[in-house]
Amino acid sequence: MNFTQLRCFIKAVDNSSFTIAAERLNFSQSAVSKNIKDLENTIGVTLINRAHHRISLTNAGKYFYHVARNVVDDMDYTVAYLQSQKNDAGTLLRIGVCDTPLEQQVLPIFLRKLRAVNSNINVQFVFVLNNSIGELLNHHVDLCAIARDDVEIVEDVQFEPLIRGHFVVACPSNSPLAQKEQLTLKDLQDKDIFLLDPNSSLNVQVKFQNSLVNNVGMKRIKFVQDFLSMGVYVRAGWGYGVLPNFIADYQANGVTYVPFDYHEISPYGIAYMESFANETVLKQVIAILRESIAEFLPNKK
């Protein structure tokens, strides 16, 4: 078994095609097929069903895919990290993000400010929504934008808060609730409520959503897959979204975010390992992130 075989297997599964996998890897289709067949022969089990020219995974293949993906990702991260250390120690900074609307607005401001004061730092963003703390502990990222709840029980992890946490209600801008300074649970009792699917939510939101469901029941609650879907439904007047303030899209047209007087949640900030080597870079990055957030959210922190 070798990494070429693993990459061929992963690419074929990801693209549901030997042909596309071959194009992505710059291999011939026969080479991809042979590598996967050799992999199956080495393991002694069939990983891929090949009937009717369509790719589907066997039960063994489904299990093996996740293991192979982790192995290849770990190796790629390790090689990239070692190469960056060899070329110029400390110049590559890998930041884990969740691709929230707020991050999409704040991070470009952060990059501009960072480049103005330190052009030697190269930033790489890594999507970590479903495994943020794992990516940090496995050294796949150097810093991670995250809520404190996700890291407070983990040893050797430090946390620097950037935004005080509380929930907000996304209201259609022309709705009566949008005119209030603060909303309570009573305001939402007879309203349709949109929440993010637990599989695409931050851990801190999942805890809150379970509590909200227990209070208002499932009859008026609908789950959506992502931030975009929630915004579309709210702008259409189909209901109200409830979410943490640090993932809200404050530039969205037709949506007004009103503070929700339910209970506060842990703050949002930057987590990092105690072993993070470059203290100067760390302080600089955190300071610039604070400036960027203050510039974008002067009255919403």
Side-chain angles (χ1 to χ4, degrees):
M1 184 188 311
N2 57 53
F3 277 96
T4 298
Q5 294 171 350
L6 294 179
R7 291 184 193 281
C8 286
F9 171 67
I10 291 169
K11 283 293 184 184
V13 174
D14 286 347
N15 294 281
S16 299
S17 168
F18 289 156
T19 302
I20 297 175
E23 293 174 355
R24 299 284 168 83
L25 293 168
N26 199 24
F27 286 0
S28 66
Q29 182 175 336
S30 59
V32 170
S33 298
K34 183 179 187 305
N35 271 285
I36 295 175
K37 192 62 180 176
D38 289 345
L39 176 63
E40 291 176 319
N41 290 337
T42 300
I43 299 173
V45 297
T46 300
L47 301 174
I48 293 179
N49 294 314
R50 299 167 173 83
H52 308 298
H53 304 290
R54 298 183 64 183
I55 288 179
S56 64
L57 290 172
T58 63
N59 288 333
K62 292 176 183 177
Y63 175 79
F64 187 78
Y65 172 81
H66 294 292
V67 175
R69 166 67 74 181
N70 289 334
V71 169
V72 172
D73 285 349
D74 281 346
M75 179 57 68
D76 288 344
Y77 281 125
T78 301
V79 170
Y81 175 74
L82 292 176
Q83 288 177 341
S84 71
Q85 295 295 97
K86 177 182 177 181
N87 293 334
D88 190 357
T91 59
L92 176 62
L93 186 67
R94 301 162 303 169
I95 302 179
V97 296
C98 298
D99 195 30
T100 66
L102 180 62
E103 288 175 349
Q104 292 172 13
Q105 298 297 330
V106 169
L107 291 179
I109 301 173
F110 162 72
L111 288 181
R112 288 196 296 270
K113 289 179 176 291
L114 180 64
R115 178 55 57 88
V117 299
N118 192 339
S119 60
N120 293 321
I121 298 179
N122 293 314
V123 175
Q124 177 185 11
F125 295 113
V126 180
F127 182 68
V128 298
L129 177 61
N130 293 321
N131 190 30
S132 51
I133 190 60
E135 298 296 309
L136 186 65
L137 293 175
N138 289 323
H139 301 285
H140 293 169
V141 296
D142 304 301
L143 308 175
C144 192
I146 196 173
R148 188 175 61 195
D149 274 1
D150 289 327
V151 297
E152 61 184 359
I153 63 172
V154 182
E155 294 183 4
D156 303 324
V157 173
Q158 298 295 310
F159 180 82
E160 189 70 28
L162 298 175
I163 301 177
R164 182 176 62 86
H166 62 268
F167 279 93
V168 294
V169 179
C171 306
S173 295
N174 59 355
S175 67
L177 295 189
Q179 313 309 314
K180 294 192 174 186
E181 293 186 0
Q182 191 176 64
L183 298 176
T184 66
L185 193 61
K186 184 177 180 180
D187 292 312
L188 299 181
Q189 286 293 337
D190 59 344
K191 304 294 189 300
D192 289 324
I193 300 172
F194 293 101
L195 300 176
L196 288 171
D197 187 316
N199 293 321
S200 59
S201 302
L202 303 175
N203 288 338
V204 64
Q205 180 159 352
V206 173
K207 295 178 183 178
F208 163 79
Q209 290 184 167
N210 291 338
S211 175
L212 186 62
V213 168
N214 290 335
N215 274 281
V216 303
M218 282 297 300
K219 183 177 180 180
R220 306 303 293 267
I221 289 179
K222 299 179 177 65
F223 288 95
V224 295
Q225 290 297 315
D226 50 41
F227 313 113
L228 174 63
S229 299
M230 178 182 286
V232 169
Y233 286 122
V234 170
R235 285 195 295 274
W238 283 25
Y240 298 81
V242 181
L243 66 165
N245 60 317
F246 47 75
I247 65 173
D249 185 1
Y250 290 105
Q251 289 193 340
N253 294 323
V255 178
T256 299
Y257 292 95
V258 181
F260 187 30
D261 185 21
Y262 189 62
H263 62 72
E264 287 201 356
I265 56 177
S266 65
Y268 173 84
I270 289 292
Y272 56 94
M273 301 296 294
E274 286 184 353
S275 58
F276 188 89
N278 199 325
E279 186 175 348
T280 301
V281 168
L282 177 64
K283 290 181 177 179
Q284 190 174 65
V285 166
I286 290 175
I288 294 174
L289 275 171
R290 273 210 179 87
E291 291 177 12
S292 304
I293 291 170
E295 180 177 318
F296 182 69
L297 300 175
N299 300 314
K300 300 182 178 67
K301 291 174 60 178

PDB file of all heavy atoms in Angstrom, residues 171-183 256 258:
ATOM      1  N   CYS A 171     -34.478  39.042  11.680  1.00  0.00           N
ATOM      2  CA  CYS A 171     -35.871  39.393  11.394  1.00  0.00           C
ATOM      3  C   CYS A 171     -35.992  40.000   9.999  1.00  0.00           C
ATOM      4  O   CYS A 171     -35.100  40.746   9.574  1.00  0.00           O
ATOM      5  CB  CYS A 171     -36.382  40.418  12.406  1.00  0.00           C
ATOM      6  SG  CYS A 171     -36.188  39.966  14.132  1.00  0.00           S
ATOM      7  N   PRO A 172     -37.085  39.737   9.292  1.00  0.00           N
ATOM      8  CA  PRO A 172     -37.335  40.515   8.071  1.00  0.00           C
ATOM      9  C   PRO A 172     -37.378  41.998   8.465  1.00  0.00           C
ATOM     10  O   PRO A 172     -38.033  42.367   9.443  1.00  0.00           O
ATOM     11  CB  PRO A 172     -38.704  40.011   7.610  1.00  0.00           C
ATOM     12  CG  PRO A 172     -38.871  38.672   8.248  1.00  0.00           C
ATOM     13  CD  PRO A 172     -38.166  38.754   9.567  1.00  0.00           C
ATOM     14  N   SER A 173     -36.682  42.841   7.714  1.00  0.00           N
ATOM     15  CA  SER A 173     -36.548  44.241   8.118  1.00  0.00           C
ATOM     16  C   SER A 173     -37.878  44.970   8.217  1.00  0.00           C
ATOM     17  O   SER A 173     -37.996  45.972   8.939  1.00  0.00           O
ATOM     18  CB  SER A 173     -35.619  44.967   7.140  1.00  0.00           C
ATOM     19  OG  SER A 173     -34.316  44.441   7.234  1.00  0.00           O
ATOM     20  N   ASN A 174     -38.893  44.492   7.499  1.00  0.00           N
ATOM     21  CA  ASN A 174     -40.199  45.161   7.540  1.00  0.00           C
ATOM     22  C   ASN A 174     -41.148  44.531   8.559  1.00  0.00           C
ATOM     23  O   ASN A 174     -42.343  44.845   8.572  1.00  0.00           O
ATOM     24  CB  ASN A 174     -40.847  45.139   6.161  1.00  0.00           C
ATOM     25  CG  ASN A 174     -41.054  43.716   5.633  1.00  0.00           C
ATOM     26  OD1 ASN A 174     -40.629  42.751   6.275  1.00  0.00           O
ATOM     27  ND2 ASN A 174     -41.682  43.586   4.482  1.00  0.00           N
ATOM     28  N   SER A 175     -40.644  43.657   9.415  1.00  0.00           N
ATOM     29  CA  SER A 175     -41.497  42.985  10.394  1.00  0.00           C
ATOM     30  C   SER A 175     -41.568  43.789  11.688  1.00  0.00           C
ATOM     31  O   SER A 175     -40.655  44.555  12.011  1.00  0.00           O
ATOM     32  CB  SER A 175     -40.958  41.582  10.693  1.00  0.00           C
ATOM     33  OG  SER A 175     -39.706  41.672  11.360  1.00  0.00           O
ATOM     34  N   PRO A 176     -42.637  43.636  12.464  1.00  0.00           N
ATOM     35  CA  PRO A 176     -42.764  44.353  13.739  1.00  0.00           C
ATOM     36  C   PRO A 176     -41.626  44.042  14.709  1.00  0.00           C
ATOM     37  O   PRO A 176     -41.160  44.935  15.432  1.00  0.00           O
ATOM     38  CB  PRO A 176     -44.114  43.870  14.288  1.00  0.00           C
ATOM     39  CG  PRO A 176     -44.880  43.429  13.078  1.00  0.00           C
ATOM     40  CD  PRO A 176     -43.864  42.870  12.142  1.00  0.00           C
ATOM     41  N   LEU A 177     -41.157  42.800  14.745  1.00  0.00           N
ATOM     42  CA  LEU A 177     -40.096  42.436  15.686  1.00  0.00           C
ATOM     43  C   LEU A 177     -38.781  43.139  15.372  1.00  0.00           C
ATOM     44  O   LEU A 177     -37.959  43.353  16.261  1.00  0.00           O
ATOM     45  CB  LEU A 177     -39.885  40.918  15.694  1.00  0.00           C
ATOM     46  CG  LEU A 177     -41.039  40.056  16.204  1.00  0.00           C
ATOM     47  CD1 LEU A 177     -40.594  38.604  16.345  1.00  0.00           C
ATOM     48  CD2 LEU A 177     -41.583  40.575  17.524  1.00  0.00           C
ATOM     49  N   ALA A 178     -38.581  43.499  14.106  1.00  0.00           N
ATOM     50  CA  ALA A 178     -37.342  44.165  13.713  1.00  0.00           C
ATOM     51  C   ALA A 178     -37.233  45.555  14.328  1.00  0.00           C
ATOM     52  O   ALA A 178     -36.140  46.131  14.382  1.00  0.00           O
ATOM     53  CB  ALA A 178     -37.244  44.257  12.190  1.00  0.00           C
ATOM     54  N   GLN A 179     -38.339  46.104  14.787  1.00  0.00           N
ATOM     55  CA  GLN A 179     -38.339  47.457  15.352  1.00  0.00           C
ATOM     56  C   GLN A 179     -38.014  47.461  16.849  1.00  0.00           C
ATOM     57  O   GLN A 179     -37.815  48.525  17.431  1.00  0.00           O
ATOM     58  CB  GLN A 179     -39.715  48.112  15.131  1.00  0.00           C
ATOM     59  CG  GLN A 179     -40.266  47.974  13.713  1.00  0.00           C
ATOM     60  CD  GLN A 179     -39.266  48.403  12.648  1.00  0.00           C
ATOM     61  OE1 GLN A 179     -38.639  49.451  12.780  1.00  0.00           O
ATOM     62  NE2 GLN A 179     -39.150  47.602  11.592  1.00  0.00           N
ATOM     63  N   LYS A 180     -37.961  46.303  17.465  1.00  0.00           N
ATOM     64  CA  LYS A 180     -37.705  46.232  18.901  1.00  0.00           C
ATOM     65  C   LYS A 180     -36.209  46.290  19.195  1.00  0.00           C
ATOM     66  O   LYS A 180     -35.382  45.914  18.360  1.00  0.00           O
ATOM     67  CB  LYS A 180     -38.303  44.953  19.485  1.00  0.00           C
ATOM     68  CG  LYS A 180     -39.831  44.907  19.433  1.00  0.00           C
ATOM     69  CD  LYS A 180     -40.360  43.777  20.283  1.00  0.00           C
ATOM     70  CE  LYS A 180     -41.883  43.798  20.360  1.00  0.00           C
ATOM     71  NZ  LYS A 180     -42.405  42.788  21.312  1.00  0.00           N
ATOM     72  N   GLU A 181     -35.866  46.743  20.378  1.00  0.00           N
ATOM     73  CA  GLU A 181     -34.465  46.807  20.782  1.00  0.00           C
ATOM     74  C   GLU A 181     -33.961  45.460  21.271  1.00  0.00           C
ATOM     75  O   GLU A 181     -32.771  45.174  21.217  1.00  0.00           O
ATOM     76  CB  GLU A 181     -34.275  47.853  21.884  1.00  0.00           C
ATOM     77  CG  GLU A 181     -34.510  49.291  21.410  1.00  0.00           C
ATOM     78  CD  GLU A 181     -34.166  50.289  22.487  1.00  0.00           C
ATOM     79  OE1 GLU A 181     -33.752  49.861  23.590  1.00  0.00           O
ATOM     80  OE2 GLU A 181     -34.310  51.498  22.231  1.00  0.00           O
ATOM     81  N   GLN A 182     -34.877  44.629  21.767  1.00  0.00           N
ATOM     82  CA  GLN A 182     -34.509  43.313  22.283  1.00  0.00           C
ATOM     83  C   GLN A 182     -35.723  42.394  22.209  1.00  0.00           C
ATOM     84  O   GLN A 182     -36.856  42.839  22.357  1.00  0.00           O
ATOM     85  CB  GLN A 182     -34.017  43.426  23.722  1.00  0.00           C
ATOM     86  CG  GLN A 182     -33.374  42.163  24.266  1.00  0.00           C
ATOM     87  CD  GLN A 182     -32.826  42.370  25.667  1.00  0.00           C
ATOM     88  OE1 GLN A 182     -33.585  42.626  26.595  1.00  0.00           O
ATOM     89  NE2 GLN A 182     -31.517  42.275  25.816  1.00  0.00           N
ATOM     90  N   LEU A 183     -35.464  41.118  21.934  1.00  0.00           N
ATOM     91  CA  LEU A 183     -36.547  40.145  21.853  1.00  0.00           C
ATOM     92  C   LEU A 183     -36.398  39.116  22.964  1.00  0.00           C
ATOM     93  O   LEU A 183     -35.297  38.845  23.451  1.00  0.00           O
ATOM     94  CB  LEU A 183     -36.536  39.449  20.492  1.00  0.00           C
ATOM     95  CG  LEU A 183     -36.763  40.351  19.269  1.00  0.00           C
ATOM     96  CD1 LEU A 183     -36.623  39.557  17.987  1.00  0.00           C
ATOM     97  CD2 LEU A 183     -38.137  41.013  19.342  1.00  0.00           C
ATOM     98  N   THR A 256     -32.732  42.356   9.633  1.00  0.00           N
ATOM     99  CA  THR A 256     -32.328  43.132  10.805  1.00  0.00           C
ATOM    100  C   THR A 256     -32.054  42.175  11.957  1.00  0.00           C
ATOM    101  O   THR A 256     -32.877  41.289  12.236  1.00  0.00           O
ATOM    102  CB  THR A 256     -33.426  44.139  11.214  1.00  0.00           C
ATOM    103  OG1 THR A 256     -33.657  45.047  10.140  1.00  0.00           O
ATOM    104  CG2 THR A 256     -33.003  44.920  12.448  1.00  0.00           C
ATOM    105  N   VAL A 258     -31.676  41.514  15.843  1.00  0.00           N
ATOM    106  CA  VAL A 258     -32.104  42.077  17.124  1.00  0.00           C
ATOM    107  C   VAL A 258     -31.580  41.175  18.242  1.00  0.00           C
ATOM    108  O   VAL A 258     -31.737  39.948  18.170  1.00  0.00           O
ATOM    109  CB  VAL A 258     -33.643  42.169  17.203  1.00  0.00           C
ATOM    110  CG1 VAL A 258     -34.071  42.784  18.539  1.00  0.00           C
ATOM    111  CG2 VAL A 258     -34.191  42.973  16.036  1.00  0.00           C
TER     112      VAL A 258
END
